[in-house]
Amino acid sequence: MTPGIDGETLDGMSIDKIEKMRSLLRAGKYKFSPTREVTIPKPGKNEFRPTKVGSPNEKIVQKAITQIMEAYYDPLFQDVSHGFRPKRGIQTALTQIDSNFQSMRWVMEADLRKAFDSIDHNKLMNMLKRDIKDDKVMALIKSGTEAGYLDEIGKFHESVVGTPQGNITSPLTCNMFTNEFDKYIEELRKEYETVGNPRVLTREYKDVTNKMKQYKWSMEKGEEITVESQEYFKELMKDTMKTDRVDYENRPIKIKYVRYADDFMIGIEGPYKLAETIYNKMDKFLRDNLSTELNKEKTVITDMQKSPMKFTGFYMKSMEANEKMMERMKISDRLMMRRKKVRTSFFFDYEKTLKRLIEKGFIRWRPDKNNSGKNMMLRGRFKGNLMNLDHMDMVNYYNSMMRGLYNMYNMCRNMNNTARMTWTLEESYVLTLARKFRTSSMKKVYDKFGKNLSARKMVDNEVKTMDTFRPDSYERKSMKTWKKVVNMVNPEDLTRINWNRKYTKSNLFEKCVICNAESNIEMHHVRSIKTMKDKTKGTDFFTKQMSKINRKQIPLCRDHHMKTHRKKTNAAEIKTYKRSVSN
């Protein structure tokens, strides 16, 4: 319902309007109008990001373009690319890091400066010309990139470079550009990688192990074993744990790369100078070929053996050399001691996730009554904006949050923190139910709905039941579990939206909710639910009812749609409407 510069919204969308768009597209006469620029705050920062607001009607055309182009271009993208792609996401990127980055010594974490805003239109059109031979399609895409925009004071600006953030085609366009960068990194990999013995040991490690061999040889020769000699041998064993085993400077070079949107990581198994060389070559390639550059403030080269790194909101840590130790391993019914294998571990940003849940009003800090209020504890709090949902929708909403947290973080070392957050979310759910059903305590809510807080609803003469999500255990899972999950929802994204499945329950092919007419169906849209609730006084009956059930759209025939806007609906029509929206 956010209007473009023409003031139009999706209110009144119909099959007839879709057909008119299609006719213009087929004739090659469809033109995109300029967008409207607005600035929005960046989450957690005192910065603002410019975004472009286009006409809602034109977004339908953008979506159609994206679906067609994505089907062709996505199979051409490199396997190392994970952002804005079907069946890929943060999970597949981290799974690839877990598989390929374990032996990397130097890891470069970087991103592209203003990746969306720096795309050169001429270079983009030249890329498209290699594959698209239809002049109408090329003219349509060109119309979208060169439409321009109006700033916040109404001044028109031409689009010279960049693809607007907020445009549905922008993520795909960005991937087409960065795919050229992906191919360049593959060329660097082939240029610098070498073959040879991967188990090159450091001189220090060899010295320690040679002393251990000499000690064992003297014992075999019959030298007396004393307390001092045993302590000497134990110290040598400890030294092997504290000494770097692999000689990264002289072992065969390996290069690994993974990218998510405009963030990427390059792992280098080799000398530090090589990491600097690759950094300089990448920056030159981006400037010369893609009209962008590395974000110097966010680009760092880290020793993975000593320092943690952050990528797509996750921390990656490897145990330091002096923390390595021996482990017991049973081989052929014998317990053997060996140097423990240390893998890179993943941690999620617990404090950031917690802060987001607090900001959105799901949980809060409050004094601990069991400790005379001296300590603060996390507790759930009721969500007033969810009280008008029916019980089934409410449990579905909270389940999406709790399941999202668990599925997203169950392979992290600190995943036990998800148990705490899941419980506080369940407490928020119970307190919201208590307000909705006017119950005085949480205990009475559990007594009323059972320990699973089950919601029941009659659908097609059958009783459907939905229980509250609770995982079987909070034990850390293997990264392999993520390989079975496709397009997992980031719980941080879930907290940013007022989710409700009723928002898109209706569509243009349904009947009018008042007269059951099947032709000339239009969608009656309203603005945000929050706006409706703030201004229900004096608004029409339909808007009041839709605000109560959190539904943003309903199908109406053109006649009743016009009556709704003119506030001309009669008592019988209102009664029919009440009956339809309650189902």
Side-chain angles (χ1 to χ4, degrees):
M1 288 299 291
T2 303
I5 63 167
D6 55 6
E8 288 192 12
T9 67
L10 286 179
D11 184 47
M13 179 53 62
S14 64
I15 292 295
D16 288 341
K17 286 188 176 182
I18 299 284
E19 290 291 350
K20 289 179 182 178
M21 291 182 195
R22 183 154 54 185
S23 298
L24 289 172
L25 286 168
R26 284 177 170 169
K29 297 180 180 179
Y30 192 94
K31 300 291 183 183
F32 286 98
S33 59
T35 55
R36 183 165 54 87
E37 185 181 67
V38 296
T39 53
I40 58 175
K42 292 184 178 181
K45 298 181 180 179
N46 294 323
E47 300 177 22
F48 290 85
R49 175 188 291 114
T51 187
K52 307 297 190 295
V53 179
S55 166
N57 295 328
E58 293 180 357
K59 288 186 178 181
I60 297 174
V61 179
Q62 293 173 9
K63 184 64 175 179
I65 294 172
T66 302
Q67 287 179 334
I68 296 298
M69 292 179 62
E70 190 173 70
Y72 176 81
Y73 280 102
D74 190 75
L76 303 180
F77 293 154
Q78 302 295 301
D79 186 55
V80 293
S81 169
H82 297 270
F84 309 129
R85 295 184 62 186
K87 298 184 179 180
R88 288 173 179 260
I90 294 175
Q91 297 78 12
T92 55
L94 294 181
T95 302
Q96 198 169 76
I97 290 172
D98 182 65
S99 299
N100 299 336
F101 280 65
Q102 292 297 336
S103 61
M104 298 295 111
R105 177 65 180 270
W106 307 107
V107 177
M108 186 187 308
E109 178 195 3
D111 72 353
L112 306 179
R113 183 183 295 277
K114 297 182 179 180
F116 285 87
D117 299 333
S118 59
I119 292 177
D120 187 287
H121 291 173
N122 291 328
K123 292 179 180 179
L124 173 63
M125 297 308 292
N126 289 334
M127 286 182 188
L128 294 172
K129 283 179 183 178
R130 295 182 306 202
D131 307 302
I132 300 175
K133 307 304 178 185
D134 191 307
D135 293 336
K136 292 179 182 178
V137 175
M138 290 297 296
L140 179 66
I141 297 172
K142 189 174 182 180
S143 169
T145 57
E146 298 180 351
Y149 66 93
L150 297 179
D151 60 23
E152 293 182 298
I153 62 173
K155 182 180 179 181
F156 177 77
H157 298 264
E158 292 184 358
S159 295
V160 180
V161 295
T163 176
Q165 293 195 41
N167 189 312
I168 294 176
T169 61
S170 293
L172 177 63
T173 304
C174 183
N175 263 342
M176 291 171 60
F177 246 65
T178 48
N179 187 55
E180 299 298 314
F181 179 66
D182 298 343
K183 291 190 284 189
Y184 176 71
I185 298 298
E186 176 62 16
E187 293 176 7
L188 287 180
R189 186 190 69 79
K190 293 178 179 178
E191 178 182 352
Y192 287 107
E193 278 196 347
T194 59
V195 295
N197 179 18
R199 297 182 177 275
V200 179
L201 303 180
T202 61
R203 169 52 56 189
E204 294 78 11
Y205 186 78
K206 287 180 180 178
D207 289 343
V208 175
T209 53
N210 285 338
K211 290 178 181 178
M212 292 178 67
K213 290 177 181 178
Q214 185 177 5
Y215 174 84
K216 290 179 180 179
W217 179 79
S218 62
M219 293 301 105
E220 290 173 359
K221 290 293 184 179
E223 186 173 319
E224 181 182 358
I225 300 177
T226 63
V227 175
E228 290 77 12
S229 64
Q230 287 180 326
E231 289 298 324
Y232 171 72
F233 185 75
K234 288 179 181 180
E235 288 299 320
L236 289 176
M237 289 183 63
K238 290 179 182 180
D239 288 343
T240 62
M241 301 302 102
K242 297 177 182 179
T243 306
D244 283 337
R245 183 171 182 268
V246 178
D247 186 355
Y248 288 95
E249 297 295 317
N250 296 306
R251 71 185 299 183
I253 293 172
K254 287 185 179 180
I255 299 172
K256 299 295 181 181
Y257 167 68
V258 64
R259 179 176 62 81
Y260 180 84
D262 57 352
D263 294 323
F264 63 90
M265 283 179 64
I266 296 180
I268 299 168
E269 193 173 304
Y272 179 78
K273 289 184 179 179
L274 177 58
E276 291 182 320
T277 301
I278 290 176
Y279 173 91
N280 293 328
K281 286 199 169 188
M282 285 192 313
D283 197 38
K284 185 176 187 306
F285 174 84
L286 290 168
R287 291 174 183 274
D288 296 346
N289 296 276
L290 299 183
S291 304
T292 186
E293 60 182 340
L294 293 173
N295 190 332
K296 302 294 192 301
E297 293 79 14
K298 296 183 179 180
T299 302
V300 293
I301 302 175
T302 304
D303 184 348
M304 273 294 280
Q305 300 297 320
K306 297 180 180 179
S307 303
M309 290 197 65
K310 190 174 184 181
F311 184 67
T312 64
F314 287 80
Y315 290 100
M316 282 153 276
K317 298 180 182 179
S318 180
M319 296 176 72
E320 295 184 11
N322 59 4
E323 293 178 350
K324 294 177 182 177
M325 48 190 163
M326 301 293 282
E327 66 177 354
R328 294 178 182 273
M329 188 174 184
K330 194 171 184 179
I331 301 177
S332 301
D333 296 327
R334 291 181 60 194
L335 279 176
M336 305 290 290
M337 296 293 291
R338 72 170 188 179
R339 186 185 181 95
K340 187 175 182 180
K341 293 183 178 180
V342 179
R343 293 182 64 84
T344 298
S345 298
F346 294 85
F347 298 78
F348 75 94
D349 194 337
Y350 174 59
E351 297 299 329
K352 181 180 178 181
T353 306
L354 206 62
K355 182 180 177 181
R356 191 68 191 171
L357 292 174
I358 293 172
E359 288 175 352
K360 284 297 181 178
F362 289 99
I363 59 179
R364 64 181 176 129
W365 290 102
R366 77 178 191 192
D368 185 358
K369 295 180 180 179
N370 297 326
N371 196 22
S372 303
K374 294 181 180 179
N375 295 333
M376 301 295 287
M377 62 186 301
L378 278 175
R379 298 302 298 265
R381 62 182 302 181
F382 84 96
K383 289 280 289 178
N385 63 327
L386 302 179
M387 286 173 57
N388 288 320
L389 296 181
D390 62 38
H391 192 183
M392 186 69 78
D393 286 340
M394 194 182 296
V395 69
N396 203 358
Y397 178 89
Y398 276 98
N399 280 355
S400 69
M401 294 286 297
M402 293 186 284
R403 187 181 291 109
L405 285 169
Y406 177 76
N407 287 339
M408 190 73 174
Y409 302 138
N410 61 18
M411 40 60 66
C412 296
R413 284 276 181 181
N414 59 339
M415 73 87 54
N416 59 305
N417 287 324
T418 62
R420 190 180 190 186
M421 291 189 294
T422 301
W423 158 242
T424 53
L425 283 171
E426 180 174 322
E427 187 178 27
S428 172
Y429 167 47
V430 174
L431 292 172
T432 307
L433 279 178
R435 291 291 184 101
K436 180 178 179 64
F437 293 100
R438 303 179 186 278
T439 305
S440 60
S441 68
M442 291 177 59
K443 180 180 182 303
K444 290 183 178 180
V445 173
Y446 281 101
D447 291 341
K448 182 179 179 65
F449 298 107
K451 65 177 183 179
N452 293 324
L453 300 168
S454 304
R456 294 176 177 81
K457 190 173 185 178
M458 186 70 71
V459 180
D460 298 329
N461 297 322
E462 290 185 17
V463 177
K464 298 269 180 148
T465 303
M466 183 178 293
D467 296 334
T468 304
F469 170 78
R470 293 192 186 102
D472 295 332
S473 73
Y474 285 95
E475 293 182 4
R476 188 164 62 91
K477 304 291 184 181
S478 166
M479 290 290 290
K480 294 178 181 178
T481 59
W482 268 12
K483 296 180 180 180
K484 301 176 183 179
V485 181
V486 176
N487 288 347
M488 190 185 299
V489 178
N490 189 332
E492 200 170 300
D493 295 335
L494 288 171
T495 64
R496 292 194 178 104
I497 61 176
N498 291 320
W499 175 93
N500 187 289
R501 60 192 178 91
K502 285 187 175 179
Y503 283 174
T504 54
K505 187 176 180 181
S506 305
N507 61 58
L508 290 168
F509 299 100
E510 290 190 358
K511 302 175 183 179
C512 173
V513 298
I514 295 178
C515 65
N516 287 326
E518 297 182 356
S519 60
N520 295 324
I521 299 299
E522 299 179 348
M523 297 307 298
H524 175 53
H525 283 70
V526 294
R527 295 192 183 278
S528 70
I529 299 299
K530 180 179 178 181
T531 303
M532 289 195 302
K533 289 177 179 177
D534 291 342
K535 301 179 180 179
T536 52
K537 186 176 181 180
T539 57
D540 64 274
F541 169 82
F542 284 83
T543 300
K544 290 179 182 178
Q545 293 300 311
M546 291 165 73
S547 70
K548 288 181 179 179
I549 64 168
N550 275 28
R551 177 180 275 180
K552 294 185 70 174
Q553 59 180 18
I554 54 171
L556 296 171
C557 66
R558 180 160 182 76
D559 180 49
H560 282 110
H561 190 203
M562 298 306 295
K563 278 188 175 183
T564 300
H565 279 284
R566 294 169 184 166
K567 301 181 182 179
K568 299 292 186 181
T569 48
N570 57 42
E573 291 168 333
I574 289 175
K575 186 176 180 180
T576 305
Y577 171 79
K578 276 185 176 181
R579 186 167 58 250
S580 66
V581 297
S582 63
N583 294 329

